[in-house]
Amino acid sequence: MAPKNRIIIDTDPGVDDVLALLLALSASPEELEVAMISVTYGNVELQSCLRNVVALFHVLEKEMSWRESTGRASYGALRAFRPIVAVGAEHALEDELLMADHFHGADGLHGVHEAHPHLSPSDTWRSLFTDTNSGPATSTDPRSYSSFFTPSKNVAHKEILRILKEEPEDTITIVAIGPLTNVALAAAEDPETFLRVKELVVMGGAVALEGNITPCAEFNCYADAVAAARVFALTSPTPASTMPPVIHGKSILPPYPAKLSRQLKLTLFPLDITTPHELRRRYFAEKIKPLKESGSPLAQWTDTFMTGTFNKIESILGDGTEPGLSLHDPLCIWYMISRDNPAWKPVPKPEDIRIETCGQWTRGMHVVDRRIRAKPGERNTTLETHPEDPLDALTLDEVPGDTMGWLSVKKGNRINRIVESPGVDLFADVLIKRLFD
């Protein structure tokens, strides 16, 4: 039976990214296929992110051996499919300075590689992703290194386009849980091929909630606000209406063609919905302890970076309350596994959410129009100068003074923002059971 959903995960593996990857790979083959993991910079620099992906597969190989010896199963998607892993952007489109959030530790996983050298891959993994030949880059399949993933020497955004071009339209969903640089590069290079994507699921932004990296911005969007703005613009009937301004000497990507075959379907998981879905320290400790004691490599590895994460949260809060990790990125994967569940609820109609790219204090902010204003175009108002001639009609979509097009039905973005899940209190239990049972 073919999987219900086939996905590309674009990620900057820190703690919750790794939990998201584990959740995806623990799905059944009927639920999900991970076709590709596209690695970007973000929580830490690019090579550290890549190392964390390779380490994850290394740990899973040991975990699968342990499970076979103890009569355990699961991780069907990991066993059934072999995702491509490709390396993408090292920095934002218009800024070479990395916006590290310092939440995930220097290596992105709170020192797990030093704590468990026996669970860390040998440094030979670096050559898997480097093209040492002068000829064209090619994908390789060194099964002697890992039986669970295929490294690619092609840059990530080109691999994304290749998959979208080769697979039938509307069969691949991209789940973007890091800065949107790789996604923006793919969309800019070949917009029509990119728009063959079934859906783009994005973890990012804060709409009616404070930010987590600045007072108004969420980290992924803040890290490359220009990339986010360009990607969001593809949801608009008129992408030029919400594109970021061109800055001389910095803007490197071209505008989109004036006419595109269709609009992008973008489903947004901002902090508003992700933050309440928490994994609490005591609950995690209770569940992981017997698995560690029984010898699970995955439990030992995970416990190290989760302990570091809970300690970091505790120091941030500083009030003695029990720390909980918001499951931002895993929530997007839960959606992909259970998206047919009617308990997933988006806003009643797509929202015009725009990305601030130039503000001194507001970079990465998700801007919405909270004013109560009539939109003439929604009433389909027309002005007919010759009623007998149906072609001689002017649609009234323009409002005097509305230079930014907030009141136009032909301008602005169309974002499907998720506002309800199958259960805030259910998810932690779902996650732990899928990862460790």
Side-chain angles (χ1 to χ4, degrees), residues 359-370:
Q360 180 181 3
W361 313 115
T362 56
R363 170 179 169 166
M365 181 179 181
H366 281 42
V367 182
V368 296
D369 189 354
R370 305 185 193 281

Side-chain angles (χ1 to χ4, degrees), residues 131-396:
D131 185 22
T132 57
N133 300 317
S134 57
T138 57
S139 293
T140 59
D141 185 17
R143 291 183 179 272
S144 60
Y145 190 88
S146 175
S147 59
F148 290 139
F149 74 92
T150 300
S152 172
K153 296 181 190 250
N154 286 327
V155 68
H157 77 271
K158 291 184 182 293
E159 280 288 3
I160 291 173
L161 289 172
R162 181 188 63 78
I163 292 172
L164 292 175
K165 187 174 293 185
E166 292 179 359
E167 299 299 327
E169 188 175 71
D170 290 327
T171 60
I172 300 291
T173 294
I174 299 174
V175 182
I177 54 178
L180 287 172
T181 315
N182 288 343
V183 179
L185 288 168
E189 182 164 316
D190 190 343
E192 289 296 348
T193 294
F194 180 76
L195 289 173
R196 291 169 60 86
V197 71
K198 179 179 180 180
E199 182 179 12
L200 175 63
V201 177
V202 174
M203 189 283 123
V207 178
L209 200 68
E210 66 274 10
N212 62 0
I213 189 70
T214 73
C216 59
E218 176 275 333
F219 175 77
N220 287 343
C221 190
Y222 179 78
D224 196 344
V226 171
R230 289 186 61 97
V231 171
F232 277 43
L234 286 172
T235 69
S236 175
T238 311
S241 67
T242 61
M243 286 282 279
V246 175
I247 300 176
H248 181 69
K250 296 191 74 174
S251 300
I252 60 172
L253 298 181
Y256 298 123
K259 290 187 178 181
L260 294 169
S261 60
R262 64 180 191 170
Q263 295 164 236
L264 173 67
K265 179 181 180 183
L266 192 156
T267 300
L268 182 66
F269 284 75
L271 295 179
D272 309 55
I273 183 67
T274 62
T275 301
H277 294 78
E278 286 188 325
L279 176 58
R280 291 282 179 174
R281 181 174 208 153
R282 282 195 291 269
Y283 175 81
F284 177 78
E286 174 190 329
K287 296 296 182 181
I288 208 72
K289 182 180 178 182
L291 291 164
K292 284 178 59 184
E293 292 174 347
S294 62
S296 164
L298 180 61
Q300 296 169 19
W301 192 66
T302 307
D303 182 59
T304 298
F305 64 74
M306 288 300 296
T307 298
T309 300
F310 289 131
N311 289 342
K312 179 68 174 180
I313 295 170
E314 207 165 43
S315 70
I316 292 172
L317 295 176
D319 58 4
T321 57
E322 181 191 5
L325 172 67
S326 291
L327 301 168
H328 305 295
D329 298 339
L331 192 66
C332 296
I333 301 298
W334 191 28
Y335 169 75
M336 291 309 307
I337 292 172
S338 62
R339 67 193 309 277
D340 292 338
N341 189 331
W344 291 108
K345 296 191 184 302
V347 287
K349 66 177 183 177
E351 296 176 323
D352 183 6
I353 301 175
R354 307 187 192 184
I355 310 298
E356 176 57 58
T357 61
C358 298
Q360 180 181 3
W361 313 115
T362 56
R363 170 179 169 166
M365 181 179 181
H366 281 42
V367 182
V368 296
D369 189 354
R370 305 185 193 281
R371 302 171 298 173
I372 300 175
R373 298 286 190 275
K375 295 186 177 182
E378 290 182 339
R379 298 195 301 266
N380 197 28
T381 305
T382 59
L383 173 65
E384 296 180 356
T385 54
H386 294 87
E388 69 281 359
D389 183 358
L391 296 179
D392 191 6
L394 174 66
T395 300
L396 295 182

Side-chain angles (χ1 to χ4, degrees), residues 405-422:
W406 287 103
L407 304 180
S408 168
V409 298
K410 296 179 181 178
K411 300 177 181 178
N413 296 326
R414 305 289 185 270
I415 307 299
N416 299 293
R417 178 167 65 94
I418 298 295
V419 293
E420 291 184 30
S421 78

